Amino acid sequence: MAYSEKLIDHYENPRNIGSFDKAAEDVGTGLVGAPACGDVMKLQIKVGADGLIEDAKFKTFGCGSAIASSSLVTEWVKGKTIDEAEAIKNTDIARHLALPPVKIHCSVLAEDAIKAAIADYRAKATKKAE
Amino acid sequence: MDHFARLGLPAALDLDAAALDRAYFALQRQWHPDRFVSRPPEERAKASAEAASLNEAYRTLKDPLRRAFYMAELSGVEMPGDGKTIDDPELLMEAMEAREALHEAGSPEAVDALAAEARQGVQKALSGLPSLFLANDRAAIRKALLRLRYLEKFAEEARARRMNIERSNA
């Protein structure tokens, strides 16, 4: 099976690996897993005062497609509002990386991770506003 | 017919391994293709189907982990299939930290120590299962099995990591 150049590039040179302090108010953390394949993915966003995502980091233990999917999402969300980031669909990720059908679930994991990170950030923001 | 019934054994997590072997080998002889060579085709086909089901039942019940997953299936515990994600923070944090530690382990000894810890985790999760099944606590069974699945994956990754370290030391 041939993987796309974009996928291989994200896998071999993953962008934005790392962590933010998950307790920080301006950080949202999404931690999701796909038990069927034993993958675990952490995706974090750092939101600026202007409401734009200024930085994103990830850490993924899983197959190459899962790593590439999360790497791509961290690139995509930078500079976006959280509403825009929330609109990212797994099908966009799968299409961009030309994921083979058996690896589509890796893009689902990445979509769920960014949604979870946004939910975490919003929960913190709501709490702070109260 | 479920796998336990096929082998004539009570559906239990703590299966007697010797009884399982005895039941399997007796039935395997009974359905062995050699005994059916001169029989009509439909009997031969039945024997070969029986032998295949028997092997599948034995493979599933022999391994404590696979047996636990199978028991859960029989008890109606729904496990997330392919493409389904979970967001249990406690379990995932544990899995993430274990994988990070493995990633940082630089010697076969360090990997072995982590693998031993994971095996203890497997034993602990397995030993807690019978009472959960007794109480039919499906949520807790599901959680224990998810943990087991991650521990199983960890063991697989630990073997790979160990091989990589040894190869680079060679």
Side-chain angles (χ1 to χ4, degrees):
Chain A
M1 183 162 46
Y3 287 109
S4 73
E5 270 176 39
K6 280 176 186 159
L7 191 155
I8 292 166
D9 180 39
H10 272 282
Y11 173 62
E12 288 182 346
N13 313 294
R15 331 294 200 259
N16 313 308
I17 286 192
S19 295
F20 298 127
D21 173 13
K22 71 175 191 314
E25 277 176 358
D26 59 347
V27 170
T29 302
L31 186 60
V32 293
C37 47
D39 288 359
V40 52
M41 181 182 288
K42 182 174 80 176
L43 207 149
Q44 295 182 301
I45 51 169
K46 193 177 189 142
V47 184
D50 54 1
L52 297 179
I53 296 172
E54 61 184 37
D55 205 356
K57 298 253 183 239
F58 84 95
K59 204 168 242 189
T60 294
F61 290 100
C63 66
S65 299
I67 290 167
S69 296
S70 35
S71 168
L72 176 67
V73 167
T74 56
E75 279 215 313
W76 273 358
V77 298
K78 280 194 211 178
K80 283 194 163 71
T81 65
I82 53 177
D83 287 339
E84 285 164 353
E86 201 178 22
I88 293 174
K89 291 271 167 291
N90 87 285
T91 44
D92 304 333
I93 302 165
R95 196 177 311 122
H96 185 86
L97 295 173
L99 292 182
V102 294
K103 292 292 177 184
I104 297 295
H105 64 273
C106 298
S107 62
V108 175
L109 197 60
E111 181 191 321
D112 288 356
I114 184 66
K115 288 207 158 66
I118 290 167
D120 181 54
Y121 173 77
R122 285 205 176 117
K124 275 183 188 169
T126 314
K127 214 170 162 189
K128 194 182 160 192
E130 275 168 1
Chain B
M1 197 189 314
D2 75 48
H3 294 335
F4 291 101
R6 185 170 296 282
L7 283 146
L9 296 166
L13 267 183
D14 51 349
L15 203 58
D16 177 355
L20 173 64
D21 284 347
R22 272 197 306 277
Y24 170 65
F25 291 120
L27 285 162
Q28 198 196 35
R29 272 195 300 279
Q30 183 186 326
W31 295 111
H32 200 282
D34 287 357
R35 301 176 59 143
F36 292 84
V37 275
S38 56
R39 310 297 301 171
E42 59 276 15
E43 276 186 45
R44 285 210 301 272
K46 177 170 170 31
S48 112
E50 287 287 338
S53 306
L54 185 64
N55 286 335
E56 167 70 14
Y58 183 66
R59 251 200 319 275
T60 306
L61 298 187
K62 181 84 176 159
D63 176 57
L65 226 71
R66 293 183 70 165
R67 186 162 73 231
F69 281 108
Y70 182 65
M71 281 283 288
E73 197 185 312
L74 290 183
S75 312
V77 175
E78 295 239 7
M79 295 298 287
D82 284 339
K84 292 282 175 286
T85 62
I86 57 163
D87 60 358
D88 179 332
E90 182 200 341
L91 176 61
L92 291 171
M93 193 55 83
E94 186 184 301
M96 178 68 82
E97 280 168 2
R99 294 290 292 274
E100 278 172 352
L102 182 63
H103 186 72
E104 282 154 19
S107 67
E109 294 73 25
V111 172
D112 289 348
L114 291 170
E117 218 174 282
R119 273 197 301 278
Q120 276 178 11
V122 169
Q123 284 314 317
K124 191 165 166 246
L126 281 176
S127 67
L129 278 175
S131 61
L132 300 180
F133 274 101
L134 207 61
N136 200 24
D137 186 345
R138 289 188 191 156
I141 294 170
R142 183 176 184 273
K143 182 157 184 163
L145 292 182
L146 287 173
R147 172 165 286 124
L148 281 166
R149 192 153 270 172
Y150 273 101
L151 286 167
E152 201 182 9
K153 178 72 181 182
F154 181 87
E156 191 187 314
E157 292 294 321
R159 282 191 293 275
R161 176 92 185 119
R162 206 179 191 287
M163 260 196 299
N164 272 339
I165 293 173
E166 282 178 342
R167 200 172 296 145
S168 60
N169 286 349

